[in-house]
Amino acid sequence: GAGVSQSPRYKVAKRGQDVALRCDPISGHVSLFWYQQALGQGPEFLTYFQNEAQLDKSGLPSDRFFAERPEGSVSTLKIQRTQQEDSAVYLCASSPAGTGSREQYFGPGTRLTVT
Amino acid sequence: GESVGLHLPTLSVQEGDNSIINCAYSNSASDYFIWYKQESGKGPQFIIDIRSNMDKRQGQRVTVLLNKTVKHLSLQIAATQPGDSAVYFCAEIPSSGYSTLTFGKGTMLLVSP
C-alpha cells in the first residue's frame, strides 16, 4: 500500500515568511511524529500525535513552530516568520496502534531552504 | 554534544565484503535499539531492532550486536552490495512508557562494485 507522503518535497522561503508542510500518514496509523534533520545529522524529534491529540511537543524549537492533526490523519507543521536556522529536512513518520515509537514509517521529507 | 556536521564518518568497502557499522549510545536505561538506513533524498528505513535484554539478533544479511557493558551497538552487513550504500543511523528508545526515538550520529557506507 501507499507509504507516508509529504508535500511539498522542496520549499524555498524568504526569511520572515510563513510555511506549511503537510504529512499524509499511512491510512489507519494512530501515531504521527515530526522530526527535523539538519544536513549531516540524525533526525531530531519535534512533536508527537496520537490520533488528533498532540501528546508531546517538547522538541519544537520555538513558539514559531506549530503542528496540528485536527482529524487524526493528515498533519501540518507550520513555521512562522522563518529564519535561516530553520533550513533543514522535515520528516514525518507514522506508526500503527500499540507499537509506540518502535515501528515508525518515515516519509521522504520536505527540504526547507530559508534564504 | 559533539557534532559531526557535514563530515559524516565514512566506511568504504568493496562489493561482497562484510561491513561493520558501530554506534555508541548514551542511555543505559534504553529499552530498544534500532538501526535505520537512509538513502539520499529519502526518509530513514527500518532495518532491524534489538531489545535491551538481548545481545544479538539476526535478520536477512544483517546482524545487530549489543554490548551493554560499554554501551555499544553494531550492525554487521554480510556480502555488502552497491544497493547498501547509504547513511546508517542507530536510534534508541528509553524504557519509560511512551518515548521518542533518539538518533545517534550517522555513518555513510560506500560500496564499490
Side-chain angles (χ1 to χ4, degrees), chain B residues 14-112:
Chain B
Q14 295 286 325
E15 182 177 2
D17 287 352
N18 296 331
S19 303
I20 301 176
I21 300 170
N22 298 303
C23 176
Y25 63 90
S26 55
N27 188 346
S28 57
S30 289
D31 195 24
Y32 275 96
F33 300 88
I34 307 175
W35 280 101
Y36 284 91
K37 172 186 180 183
Q38 188 173 25
E39 296 174 277
S40 181
K42 297 184 179 179
Q45 178 185 6
F46 173 93
I47 302 173
I48 190 169
D49 65 359
I50 187 168
R51 194 160 190 180
S52 60
N53 61 356
M54 302 171 65
D55 53 22
K56 181 178 180 178
R57 188 167 185 221
Q58 288 186 294
Q60 186 176 13
R61 280 203 307 121
V62 294
T63 301
V64 55
L65 298 177
L66 175 63
N67 184 331
K68 292 181 284 293
T69 302
V70 294
K71 297 184 187 176
H72 184 266
L73 192 68
S74 68
L75 177 71
Q76 300 178 358
I77 305 174
T80 316
Q81 303 167 1
D84 295 327
S85 295
V87 177
Y88 290 80
F89 291 98
C90 64
E92 54 186 303
I93 301 177
S95 56
S96 54
Y98 152 73
S99 53
T100 63
L101 279 172
T102 301
F103 284 82
K105 299 173 184 175
T107 297
M108 181 173 292
L109 176 65
L110 297 175
V111 184
S112 305

Side-chain angles (χ1 to χ4, degrees), chain A residues 9 37 39-42 101-102 107, chain B residues 3 5-6 38 41 43 49 89 99:
Chain A
R9 292 293 316 277
Q37 185 173 27
L39 188 63
Q41 302 291 318
S101 298
R102 279 187 58 215
Chain B
S3 174
L6 295 176
Q38 188 173 25
D49 65 359
F89 291 98
S99 53

